[in-house]
């Protein structure tokens, strides 16, 4: 059955998957959502015998229904290849009774690679299918990981350009070095004087600027997005939860149909929303455990039913989660309104204006699959140390937030359902925070000394992504104010 995509903010005619991928954001500012969530059409036992690539096809074919089998399999083949340092693509590591789903084995050592390695191929295929002649300009805001993963995916891809805005003082040194050393004539990286929410809001404003869109069209350009607001990012993320379950089943760690809980460190809400979609496709998932850092806007929302971004923005050691406007939450809100676009638009307008909205008791019923909690900076560091001392497993700061929240969930509920924890970045991406958590003596070392020390400690090779930037020259040194973002785009495109 064909899946079409509709906007969360209007009752405009739905579009096909390839159109939704190309547009990124609906013209009314809404996000594209499937008109129904398709059910898995292979049994769990059948999926258990498949590779990552085969499972990716079985999941994505159900959502991207206007792609041919050959088109989709080619995109998957080109995405999940030797860019990943393991044939498993997303291995599971058991540590202290939980299963850590390592989503960081791609070329930029963060979970964003799982979707951003395939998005350029989906986008170019979509452009061909829709007879697009314009050059596609990928415009994206990043809190640290999306930027580099998108740059790596689109650099050198014919018919595209990519512009990445990031908060100048809001990412780790390794994250920044990865971005500013990016080669490729079609790439631009800009540090803004503001936080991630400022960058994201600025990008959304540029997207909805009709005059700019017309000017670009006249010059042969059109925007699309690589942020998790693009449905072409969300669909590939559903695959790894299905793969995790299939893998545990194939290894005899689960019986067919046995439930798992899923724990996700959450900022923009896309990663946990993908798990929610997997559950609604028929994957046996019990609780969706949403883990926040000190920017605990989501924890407060799940606890009270009020989403309030009017609070201090905290810079933490898990910067990819330093977010107060969780864009993908809108897709869930739309669903729990009963897919009422007018009601959803009212709530999003309130968020944009007053910075706060409250959902009804009836809507809160729709959140019963979720459990929210948060970990402070001290708890995040303590959890890294605890797990390392207990079994030698070293995780990054974001994964530690999830792990710490899982411990709170266990203590509170005594729910011993097997848990898969989304491990969203390599510890090598946040070496200083990770090593300081294990022992403060490491703080005296330089960034790359710490890399080598961590490699010895964790008994893991230094990833290529880190080796490559040790001596790489800075290519991008542009900075701008938030209100200069549009002009920066115009300048890069020669408008």
């Amino acid at each position: 059955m064909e899946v079409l995509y509709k906007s969360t903010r209007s009752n405009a005619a739905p579009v096909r998957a390839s159109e939704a991928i190309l547009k990124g954001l609906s013209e009314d500012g809404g996000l594209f959502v499937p008109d129904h969530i398709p059910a898995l059409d292979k049994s769990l036992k059948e999926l258990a015998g498949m590779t990552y690539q085969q499972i990716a096809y079985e999941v994505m074919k159900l959502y991207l229904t206007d792609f041919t089998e050959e088109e989709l399999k080619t995109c998957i083949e080109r995405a999940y290849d030797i860019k990943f340092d393991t044939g498993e693509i997303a291995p599971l590591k058991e540590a202290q009774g939980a299963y850590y789903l390592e989503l960081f084995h791609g070329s930029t050592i963060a979970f964003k690679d799982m979707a951003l390695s395939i998005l350029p191929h989906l986008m170019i295929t979509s452009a061909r299918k829709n007879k697009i002649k314009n050059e596609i300009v990928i415009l994206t805001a990043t809190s640290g990981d999306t930027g580099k993963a998108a740059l790596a995916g689109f650099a050198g891809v014919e018919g595209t350009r990519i512009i990445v805005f990031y908060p100048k003082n809001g990412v780790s040194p390794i994250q920044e070095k990865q971005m500013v050393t990016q080669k490729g004539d079609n790439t631009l990286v800009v540090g803004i004087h503001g936080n991630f929410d400022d960058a994201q809001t600025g990008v959304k404003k540029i997207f909805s600027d009709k005059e700019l869109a017309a000017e670009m069209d006249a010059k042969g350009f059109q925007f699309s997005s690589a942020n998790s607001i693009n449905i072409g990012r969300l669909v590939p993320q559903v695959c790894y939860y299905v793969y995790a379950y299939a893998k545990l089943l194939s290894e005899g760690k689960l019986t067919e149909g046995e439930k798992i809980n899923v724990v996700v460190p959450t900022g923009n809400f896309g990663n946990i929303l993908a798990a929610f979609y997997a559950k609604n496709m028929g994957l046996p998932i019990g609780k969706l455990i949403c883990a926040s850092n000190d920017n605990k806007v989501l924890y407060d929302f799940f606890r009270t039913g009020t989403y309030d971004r009017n609070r201090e923005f905290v810079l933490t050691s898990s910067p990819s989660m330093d977010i107060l406007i969780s864009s993908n939450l809108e897709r869930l809100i739309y669903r729990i309104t009963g897919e009422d676009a007018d009601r959803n638009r009212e709530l999003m307008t309130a968020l944009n204006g007053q910075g706060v909205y409250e959902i009804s008791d009836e809507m809160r019923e729709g959140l019963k699959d979720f459990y929210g909690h948060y970990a402070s900076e001290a708890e995040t560091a303590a959890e890294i140390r605890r797990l390392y001392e207990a079994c030698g497993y070293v995780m990054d700061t974001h994964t530690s937030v999830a792990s710490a929240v899982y411990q709170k969930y266990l203590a509170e509920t005594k729910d011993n359902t097997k848990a898969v924890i989304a491990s969203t970045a390599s510890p090598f991406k946040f070496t200083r925070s990770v090593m300081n958590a294990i022992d403060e003596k490491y703080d005296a070392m330089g960034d790359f000394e710490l890399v080598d020390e961590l490699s010895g400690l964790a008994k893991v090779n230094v990833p290529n992504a880190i080796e490559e930037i040790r001596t790489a020259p800075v290519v991008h040194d542009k900075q701008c104010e938030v209100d200069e973002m549009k002009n920066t785009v115009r300048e890069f495109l020669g408008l």
Side-chain angles (χ1 to χ4, degrees), residues 69-86:
E69 180 176 347
E70 188 190 353
E71 284 170 339
L72 196 46
K73 283 186 171 173
T74 299
C75 289
I76 288 166
E77 214 173 275
R78 289 176 177 168
Y80 305 112
D81 59 8
I82 56 165
K83 290 190 291 295
F84 287 80
D85 63 19
T86 167

Side-chain angles (χ1 to χ4, degrees), residues 33-67:
V33 289
D35 60 359
H36 66 281
I37 293 179
L40 289 167
D41 64 358
K42 290 282 189 291
S43 71
L44 297 170
K45 200 166 272 182
E46 286 174 291
L47 292 166
M50 294 184 188
T51 64
Y52 189 89
Q53 292 85 343
Q54 289 167 331
I55 286 175
Y57 174 72
E58 292 302 332
V59 172
M60 285 195 246
K61 74 174 189 190
L62 301 172
Y63 285 96
L64 310 181
T65 50
D66 64 329
F67 282 68

Side-chain angles (χ1 to χ4, degrees), residues 193-225:
H193 301 144
N195 60 38
F196 170 72
D197 287 335
D198 296 324
Q200 183 164 256
T201 302
V203 162
K204 281 185 173 176
K205 268 188 191 157
I206 295 169
F207 265 120
S208 58
D209 189 322
K210 300 277 194 291
E211 280 177 32
L212 180 61
E215 192 181 353
M216 286 176 61
D217 189 47
K219 296 276 185 164
F221 296 113
Q222 70 185 65
F223 281 133
S224 192
S225 169

Side-chain angles (χ1 to χ4, degrees), residues 224-243:
S224 192
S225 169
N227 275 82
S228 57
I229 53 174
N230 193 314
I231 200 71
R233 272 278 302 275
L234 189 61
V235 169
Q237 290 180 272
V238 178
C239 304
Y240 46 72
Y241 294 109
V242 178
Y243 175 76

